[in-house]
């Protein structure tokens, strides 16, 4: 990212540190009113000791308001008869599903820079198709991580053209940058997120059997994989029993001030942070734990900037996803070669096999059946266990020791019993979004997929995750219940079927939320306040996926 306004430089620093806006993202989403060179020249005349009011005037004189470069979009393939509802008979379940489906109309956007002056610029990455925004108050572009779960929902809604267009937007960024940036703004082009594009293309193909699109996408999937293999990998040497050495991808990253979170990152980087209060979880006499009972902070694990040793950490979820990517790319090569294995497809399968084995060698604990991130510098597992580490079972449960798979499923069942309102990513109260007491639908989806993969094994011994349900279906029911009850308490109604909740906010017709909170008892905390739902589109995507996959096993809860 190299732009004198949106990425770095004195203009960005002055405006973001001045506190003109409540949210840093506001400024970097504002298109210019003048050519950039004219704004740079005007900035030279802004005094060093300019007041906040003077900085605000400079912004007003030189930049359009946020949202000036996008417009709401119509969905050409809209349907009032979504496939996921065709076998659902319960009127409340149908009504709720339809209310979620209709929210796609509110989230669809397309780029429109026609109102900008000649020579004016926007921070948007150019896109040719409709995209779905994450849903929060600062959502004005696509986001990579969010797009995966949105894609799940679009496909279950039968919006195949919209899904294909959104996927093409992501493929176009790979063609331009070599990878999918974190989001659809140029200030996101110096970083990426978990590389889920191959999984998205696979989901699209499974739903549509559009082999032509697979053929168009495959070279770009290989290009993105090459980026991760070349620029985000590290060689890990170790000795196995037979004396072999292996390499494994490591989650390489750099620390910098993010343009869209500039002031927040600046303050954090100047602050000496102490370890946060920890929420302790111990199961099975301490064999499986997320925090010590004493409440001490493991070294260099929880500090937000500058101290987390990311470059020397083998991330279980990232490498599990890359295993899936390697397998999917190999499958696509075979598909496009008349279902015949080729030298190239076998190379990808070999890479997947080596990656899986190295994860088993370094990140797997055979006593618990669980994976943990591995610190290369210390040769030890992370002391902080994350639900994300279950991703390996989604990726390759069929290659795991049967006893370990059962232990992992038992652990997941225990967690579900302890946290029936939703599974947090970690069990530390860091005050950050991805830690306790916050729960998000993407983590529930991952846990469901991992549990389902184990439950599909011949060696699986059934253990109920709810009355008459397996663990995967039990988590699916809890995920629906959490979302439905918060939708209901924020004003959700179904005409002629479900009346309004007594204390619901009068200006809301029911809200989805990007994140929910659980209480000390593990149950969900419902709210009547829909004023700040956050990035809720991924919640909608997961919900509609649940309808499609578990429609016969889920039911409306009592709230």
């Amino acid at each position: 990212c190299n732009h004198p306004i949106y990425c770095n430089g004195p203009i960005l620093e002055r405006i973001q540190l001045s506190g003109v806006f409540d949210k840093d993202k506001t400024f970097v989403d504002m298109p210019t009113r003048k050519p950039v060179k004219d704004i740079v020249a005007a900035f030279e005349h802004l005094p060093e000791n300019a007041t906040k009011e003077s900085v605000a005037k400079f912004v007003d004189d030189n930049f359009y308001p946020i949202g000036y470069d996008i417009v709401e979009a119509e969905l050409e393939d809209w349907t009032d008869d979504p496939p996921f509802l065709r076998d659902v008979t319960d009127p409340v379940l149908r009504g709720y599903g339809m209310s979620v489906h209709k929210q796609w109309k509110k989230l669809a956007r397309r780029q429109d820079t026609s109102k900008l002056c000649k020579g004016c610029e926007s921070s948007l990455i150019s896109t040719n198709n409709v995209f779905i925004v994450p849903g929060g108050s600062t959502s004005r572009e696509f986001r990579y991580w969010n797009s995966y779960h949105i894609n799940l929902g679009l496909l279950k809604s039968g919006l195949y053209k919209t899904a294909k267009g959104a996927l093409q937007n992501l493929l176009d960024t790979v063609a331009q940058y070599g990878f999918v940036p974190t989001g659809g703004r140029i200030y996101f082009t110096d970083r990426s997120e978990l590389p889920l594009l191959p999984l998205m293309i696979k989901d699209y193909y499974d739903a549509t059997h559009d082999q032509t699109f697979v053929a168009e996408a495959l070279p770009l999937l290989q290009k993105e994989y090459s980026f991760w293999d070349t620029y985000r990998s590290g060689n890990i040497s170790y000795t196995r029993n037979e004396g072999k050495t292996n390499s494994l991808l490591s989650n390489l990253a750099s620390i910098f001030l993010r343009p869209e979170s500039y002031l927040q990152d600046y303050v954090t980087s100047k602050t000496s942070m102490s370890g946060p209060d920890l929420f302790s979880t111990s199961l099975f006499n301490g064999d499986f734990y997320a925090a010590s009972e004493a409440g001490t902070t493991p070294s260099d694990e929880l500090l937000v900037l500058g101290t987390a040793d990311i470059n020397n950490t083998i991330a279980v979820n990232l490498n599990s996803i890359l295993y899936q990517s390697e397998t999917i790319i190999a499958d696509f090569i075979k598909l496009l070669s008349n279902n015949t294995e080729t030298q190239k497809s076998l190379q990808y399968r070999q890479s997947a096999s080596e990656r899986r084995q190295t994860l088993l060698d370094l990140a797997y604990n055979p006593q618990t059946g669980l994976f943990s991130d591995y610190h290369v510098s210390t040769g030890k597992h992370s002391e902080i266990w994350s639900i994300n580490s279950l991703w390996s079972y989604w990726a390759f449960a069929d290659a795991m020791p049967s006893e370990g798979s059962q232990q992992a499923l038992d652990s997941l069942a225990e967690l579900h019993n302890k946290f029936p309102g939703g599974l947090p990513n970690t069990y530390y109260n860091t005050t950050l979004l991805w830690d306790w007491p916050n729960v998000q639908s993407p983590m529930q989806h991952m846990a469901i997929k991992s549990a389902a993969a184990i439950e599909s094994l011949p060696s699986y011994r059934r253990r109920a995750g709810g009355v008459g349900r397996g663990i995967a279906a039990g988590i699916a029911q809890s995920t629906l219940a959490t979302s439905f009850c918060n939708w209901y308490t924020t004003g959700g109604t179904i005409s002629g079927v479900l009346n309004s909740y007594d204390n619901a906010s009068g200006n809301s017709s029911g809200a989805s939320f990007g994140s929910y909170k659980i209480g000390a008892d593990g149950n969900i905390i419902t709210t009547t306040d829909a004023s700040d739902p956050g990035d809720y589109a991924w919640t909608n995507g997961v919900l509609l996926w649940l309808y499609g996959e578990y429609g016969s096993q889920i039911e409306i809860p009592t709230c």
Side-chain angles (χ1 to χ4, degrees), residues 39 42 105-106 110 113 175 189 208 251-252 273 293 295 298 397 436 458 510 548 559:
I39 296 176
K105 292 182 177 182
K106 301 178 182 179
R110 62 178 175 83
T113 56
T189 58
T208 65
N251 188 8
L252 302 181
M273 298 186 67
E293 290 290 342
W436 185 90
C559 302

Side-chain angles (χ1 to χ4, degrees), residues 129-132 142 144 147-148 150-152 154-155 159-174 180 196-205 208 213 217 220-221:
N129 301 290
V130 171
F131 54 91
I132 304 296
F142 71 77
Y144 192 6
S147 294
Y148 171 75
I150 289 169
N151 185 60
L152 291 175
L154 290 174
L155 294 174
L159 303 179
Y160 305 121
K161 183 177 182 179
T162 299
K164 183 177 181 178
L167 291 173
Q168 188 62 58
N169 288 338
L170 301 181
L171 291 168
D172 290 344
T173 66
V174 177
V180 181
L196 292 165
L197 185 56
L199 280 74
M200 291 189 238
I201 301 295
K202 181 183 185 301
D203 288 337
Y204 174 80
Y205 174 74
T208 65
F213 188 59
L220 293 167
L221 297 183

Side-chain angles (χ1 to χ4, degrees), residues 476-529:
Q477 174 62 35
S478 296
T479 303
L480 172 78
T482 291
S483 299
F484 173 82
C485 286
N486 276 278
W487 171 82
Y488 182 47
T489 58
T490 52
T493 61
I494 302 170
S495 179
V497 175
L498 182 68
N499 294 327
S500 176
Y501 181 77
D502 290 343
N503 299 320
S505 173
N507 58 4
S508 171
S509 57
S512 291
F513 293 83
S515 182
Y516 299 94
K517 291 188 182 296
I518 54 175
D521 60 357
N523 287 305
I524 201 67
I525 299 174
T526 55
T527 181
T528 59
D529 181 9

Side-chain angles (χ1 to χ4, degrees), residues 120-121 139 264 454 525 531:
C120 291
E121 297 184 21
S139 300
Q264 172 189 334
I454 299 172
I525 299 174
S531 60

Side-chain angles (χ1 to χ4, degrees), residues 60-82:
D60 289 341
D61 290 344
N62 291 282
F63 295 88
Y64 288 113
I66 54 173
Y68 210 73
D69 48 6
I70 59 172
V71 294
E72 293 184 358
E74 289 190 8
L75 299 177
E76 296 180 4
D77 52 347
W78 178 256
T79 175
D80 288 319
D81 182 27

Side-chain angles (χ1 to χ4, degrees), residues 57-121:
K57 185 178 186 306
F58 171 82
V59 173
D60 289 341
D61 290 344
N62 291 282
F63 295 88
Y64 288 113
I66 54 173
Y68 210 73
D69 48 6
I70 59 172
V71 294
E72 293 184 358
E74 289 190 8
L75 299 177
E76 296 180 4
D77 52 347
W78 178 256
T79 175
D80 288 319
D81 182 27
F84 70 86
L85 282 182
R86 289 172 187 165
D87 295 325
V88 177
T89 58
D90 180 273
V92 179
L93 201 59
R94 284 187 60 85
Y96 178 52
M98 195 65 190
S99 75
V100 175
H101 172 69
K102 287 180 178 179
Q103 290 184 36
W104 293 132
K105 292 182 177 182
K106 301 178 182 179
L107 296 167
R109 301 287 186 275
R110 62 178 175 83
Q111 183 174 350
D112 181 7
T113 56
S114 62
K115 296 179 289 186
L116 302 188
C117 68
K118 185 177 181 179
C120 291
E121 297 184 21

